[in-house]
Amino acid sequence: MTAERRRATIEDVASSAGVSRQTVSRAMNGKGEISPATRDRVLDAARRLNYRPSRFARGLVRQQVTTIGLLVTDLANPYFPQLASAVLATAEQRGWQVVVSATHGDADRELDLVDNLADQVDALVGYLAADDDAIAEHVRGLPVVLLQRDPDSTRFGAVAIDLESGTRQAVEHLVGAGHRDIAMLGSEGPDDVADVRRDAFRAVVRELGLDPARCPVHPCAQSVPDGERAAAAVLTAYPETTALFAYSDLIAVGAIRAAVREGRQVPGSCAVVGFDGLPLGELVTPALTTVHIDTWRLGELAVDQVARQLGEDNSGAAAVVVPRLLVRGSG
Amino acid sequence: MTAERRRATIEDVASSAGVSRQTVSRAMNGKGEISPATRDRVLDAARRLNYRPSRFARGLVRQQVTTIGLLVTDLANPYFPQLASAVLATAEQRGWQVVVSATHGDADRELDLVDNLADQVDALVGYLAADDDAIAEHVRGLPVVLLQRDPDSTRFGAVAIDLESGTRQAVEHLVGAGHRDIAMLGSEGPDDVADVRRDAFRAVVRELGLDPARCPVHPCAQSVPDGERAAAAVLTAYPETTALFAYSDLIAVGAIRAAVREGRQVPGSCAVVGFDGLPLGELVTPALTTVHIDTWRLGELAVDQVARQLGEDNSGAAAVVVPRLLVRGSG
DNA sequence: CTGAAAGCGCTTACAG
DNA sequence: CTGAAAGCGCTTACAG
């Protein structure tokens, strides 16, 4: 007799217990209409055979298992764990499962992953770089909630982050502390590429009556070493700079380092303000002043919106997360 | 006409395109044996109806979608993201999906989550506190790989971390630097509760001929503030201590702070060595010297072991991850 | 190249 | 309390 490869089915349990399939079903699902003796006999057989009902057969007949796909760039990026955590918790509360997938920032891969997920889940939540048409083609009617996207910019569900408000809070805070030469670190690319963050910074600079020439914007990738390099470059090119506004905490941590290395006191002779509100901001010295994004709320709102799209719930809520300045030590 | 609630089925597409179900199946699955014209017509109808084949029906008939469940304590704990990331990446390479679930350290919940996952996945990977019998009762024959568990201590699959080797590397390093008064921070509980970490530390202390009385072990929960408190307590109770060996990086970061606050130079008058090798160790000042655990490898090995248990692969590999000391600035 | 039949493993009425 | 029948939505041989 060879080792049993095949998984036990309801039929195996039924014949082993000497009953019909629907009696097995009753026992497994804790329904009434079954004598305790029979139930025990069936449950015993099930245990003995390591019987687990097929999720496919079950899902096919009772249409109520909900699984959502969560697509992030990279879980190892400190921005995502809390968001993912919130999505998991909120989904679990509703009895939903969450399949997680990571694009690693690869735009081509993104749509492949969407394809895979679309086959296996009931809704998709995530960071998608592709445009509406491309997404639509791949999700084929699957409910979608885009993270960190202006709801007006897409026909899919979306949860926005009010970057402009966050930026305003940061810059106002710096201006209130007397700063007039505030450089921004972290625009994504060259000037002719649309960049919400850079635009928000410039708008606020104008709004507050600052001199744009004294508030340069420096491109910078999203990492500590890149922040370090960019900050060093800015402080060299614009030595009169007294404050650095970074568009992510990772960049800001690098900026603190660079400033210190350049002989600046932080925040005394060079304030640094970050953006994100990651826990790691509390570990550096001085602790990072930053615009905190409530990523837990972001995840919650996204799952709520999925629920609405799935028609289980109609409570409306503005799908915008407004960041809040968190003043710690660096600025 | 009310809005269409029901999802389109293969039958809907078939009648809309004027063909039979199996022709739809052929078109959707890109099989041959279909004329281009028919295929286009079917695909058009499918697109129009937002048709996505039911994953349940499909899974039922072709038994080959593999989904694994990953159970962690809490994704927001900095120890888990990289592990989760590795599991996702390794699973994706095999074309597997990953459902993630978090226990939040709640032992009761743990088994509930196992129940849920056991219904929906083909194998389970994770941190489980429950004993073999309890796990067995809930997984009912599901392949299981336990993380950070000695393979000899369980009849399930397991990937171990050689904590003793890591501890030895750390303590030998400190002894090599001249330290004789080395306190350990982070035993889980009182002396009569089994604790691999504490035992390893004491064994190494003895092995290296240190005086156990000069190498006390202080209990401490896994967080920065707790590390701070514990370190302060130790430095007060044993002022001759010149090195702190923390059993996690979070604790170690707190220890650095406490030491600095107590007027110690780190590492000059008080060395600090952590355990885990988290990225955040590079952000603190001085950068944390730590015993690095290759969590990426841990995740890979776990998924490999799942593959073996599912019988898809038989390449054997020792399921042990040996940590490596990473000397940075703090010790 | 296309369709009629059977079956994947369950659950849900419906009889008895 | 228990079982025979039908069906969930697909795919896989098998005819034609």
Side-chain angles (χ1 to χ4, degrees):
Chain A
M1 207 171 122
T2 61
E4 190 146 15
R5 272 254 131 278
R6 195 177 59 88
R7 236 175 85 166
T9 71
I10 196 172
E11 197 58 66
D12 299 324
V13 178
S15 66
S16 165
V19 297
S20 69
R21 293 185 321 219
Q22 47 276 49
T23 298
V24 174
S25 176
R26 282 191 194 96
M28 294 301 297
N29 295 305
K31 302 257 174 169
E33 309 201 319
I34 184 172
S35 76
T38 311
R39 187 185 40 231
D40 291 350
R41 193 151 39 89
V42 171
L43 259 23
D44 264 12
R47 202 181 318 272
R48 199 155 14 85
L49 298 173
N50 272 335
Y51 171 62
R52 276 171 297 122
S54 152
R55 66 177 179 277
F56 298 116
R58 217 175 221 182
L60 189 55
V61 66
R62 42 183 214 213
Q63 324 253 15
Q64 47 170 328
V65 179
T66 300
T67 302
I68 71 180
L70 173 64
L71 200 56
V72 298
T73 307
D74 180 5
L75 272 186
N77 176 324
Y79 184 82
F80 293 108
Q82 196 180 5
L83 165 75
S85 214
V87 170
L88 293 186
T90 314
E92 201 215 315
Q93 246 172 265
R94 305 188 107 100
W96 298 355
Q97 310 247 30
V98 182
V99 173
V100 183
S101 211
T103 62
H104 295 280
D106 183 335
D108 300 337
R109 230 172 160 210
E110 172 179 305
L111 290 172
D112 286 345
L113 293 178
V114 169
D115 276 338
N116 288 342
L117 286 174
D119 277 349
Q120 301 295 331
V121 303
D122 303 295
L124 189 57
V125 169
Y127 288 82
L128 289 177
D131 62 46
D132 272 19
D133 287 339
I135 295 174
E137 188 181 336
H138 289 265
V139 297
R140 294 156 285 160
L142 193 75
V144 172
V145 175
L146 267 18
L147 261 22
Q148 206 168 326
R149 272 272 201 121
D150 183 351
D152 298 334
S153 78
T154 173
R155 58 178 191 271
F156 295 108
V159 183
I161 294 174
D162 190 341
L163 297 173
E164 183 153 340
S165 162
T167 303
R168 182 174 299 109
Q169 292 174 53
V171 178
E172 276 179 351
H173 170 73
L174 289 169
V175 168
H179 296 282
R180 295 296 177 270
D181 297 87
I182 305 168
M184 172 176 166
L185 259 33
S187 158
E188 304 274 349
D191 243 40
D192 52 326
V193 173
D195 184 334
V196 181
R197 313 180 155 206
R198 181 188 56 215
D199 295 348
F201 177 71
R202 291 200 172 133
V204 172
V205 161
R206 245 176 283 118
E207 205 180 298
L208 297 180
L210 295 173
D211 178 359
R214 294 167 65 184
C215 297
V217 178
H218 200 82
C220 175
Q222 302 296 330
S223 79
V224 174
D226 284 302
E228 217 167 329
R229 271 191 290 277
V234 164
L235 292 176
T236 302
Y238 303 88
E240 59 288 354
T241 298
T242 62
L244 295 170
F245 173 49
Y247 232 123
S248 82
D249 283 352
L250 251 25
I251 293 177
V253 168
I256 290 181
R257 282 201 186 168
V260 169
R261 196 156 23 78
E262 302 274 320
R264 304 283 201 122
Q265 292 268 24
V266 177
S269 77
C270 181
V272 176
V273 175
F275 211 110
D276 282 344
L278 303 183
L280 62 82
E282 265 184 302
L283 303 180
V284 296
T285 312
L288 187 61
T289 290
T290 184
V291 180
H292 176 260
I293 296 172
D294 188 344
T295 45
W296 185 275
R297 184 83 185 119
L298 179 65
E300 260 184 351
L301 286 172
V303 175
D304 287 351
Q305 208 164 121
V306 166
R308 232 166 295 136
Q309 287 194 44
L310 290 175
E312 295 189 359
D313 179 349
N314 272 305
S315 64
V320 179
V321 174
V322 180
R324 257 170 36 95
L325 183 71
L326 207 60
V327 179
R328 294 195 285 220
S330 69
Chain B
M1 208 172 122
T2 60
E4 191 145 15
R5 272 253 131 279
R6 195 178 59 89
R7 235 174 86 166
T9 71
I10 196 172
E11 198 59 65
D12 299 325
V13 178
S15 67
S16 165
V19 298
S20 69
R21 294 184 322 218
Q22 47 277 50
T23 299
V24 174
S25 177
R26 283 192 194 97
M28 294 301 298
N29 295 305
K31 302 256 172 166
E33 310 201 319
I34 185 173
S35 76
T38 311
R39 188 187 38 233
D40 290 350
R41 194 151 37 91
V42 171
L43 259 22
D44 264 12
R47 201 182 320 272
R48 200 157 11 87
L49 297 173
N50 272 336
Y51 171 62
R52 276 170 298 121
S54 152
R55 67 177 179 275
F56 298 114
R58 219 176 220 182
L60 189 56
V61 67
R62 42 185 213 209
Q63 325 252 16
Q64 46 170 328
V65 179
T66 299
T67 302
I68 71 180
L70 173 63
L71 200 57
V72 298
T73 306
D74 179 6
L75 272 185
N77 177 323
Y79 183 82
F80 293 108
Q82 196 181 4
L83 165 75
S85 213
V87 170
L88 293 187
T90 314
E92 202 214 314
Q93 247 172 264
R94 305 189 106 99
W96 298 355
Q97 310 248 29
V98 181
V99 173
V100 182
S101 211
T103 62
H104 295 278
D106 183 335
D108 301 336
R109 230 174 162 208
E110 172 179 305
L111 291 173
D112 286 344
L113 293 177
V114 169
D115 276 338
N116 287 342
L117 287 174
D119 277 350
Q120 301 296 329
V121 303
D122 303 296
L124 189 58
V125 169
Y127 288 82
L128 288 177
D131 62 46
D132 272 19
D133 287 340
I135 295 173
E137 188 179 337
H138 290 264
V139 297
R140 293 156 285 159
L142 193 74
V144 172
V145 175
L146 265 22
L147 261 21
Q148 205 167 328
R149 273 271 202 121
D150 183 350
D152 297 334
S153 76
T154 173
R155 59 178 190 272
F156 295 108
V159 182
I161 293 174
D162 190 340
L163 297 172
E164 184 152 342
S165 162
T167 302
R168 182 175 299 109
Q169 291 174 54
V171 178
E172 277 179 349
H173 170 73
L174 289 169
V175 168
H179 296 282
R180 293 297 177 268
D181 297 87
I182 305 169
M184 171 175 168
L185 259 32
S187 158
E188 305 273 350
D191 243 40
D192 52 327
V193 173
D195 183 335
V196 182
R197 311 181 156 207
R198 183 188 54 216
D199 296 347
F201 178 71
R202 290 202 172 131
V204 172
V205 161
R206 244 175 283 119
E207 205 179 299
L208 298 180
L210 295 173
D211 178 357
R214 294 168 64 185
C215 297
V217 177
H218 200 82
C220 175
Q222 302 295 330
S223 77
V224 174
D226 283 302
E228 216 167 329
R229 273 190 288 278
V234 164
L235 292 176
T236 302
Y238 302 89
E240 59 288 354
T241 298
T242 62
L244 295 170
F245 172 49
Y247 231 126
S248 80
D249 283 351
L250 252 23
I251 293 176
V253 167
I256 290 181
R257 282 202 186 168
V260 169
R261 198 157 20 81
E262 303 273 320
R264 304 284 202 122
Q265 293 267 24
V266 177
S269 76
C270 181
V272 176
V273 175
F275 210 111
D276 282 344
L278 303 184
L280 63 83
E282 266 185 300
L283 303 180
V284 296
T285 314
L288 187 62
T289 291
T290 184
V291 180
H292 177 260
I293 296 172
D294 188 343
T295 45
W296 186 276
R297 185 83 187 119
L298 179 64
E300 260 184 350
L301 285 172
V303 174
D304 287 351
Q305 208 164 121
V306 166
R308 231 166 296 134
Q309 287 194 44
L310 290 175
E312 295 188 0
D313 180 347
N314 271 305
S315 64
V320 179
V321 174
V322 180
R324 257 168 38 96
L325 184 69
L326 208 59
V327 179
R328 293 195 285 219
S330 69

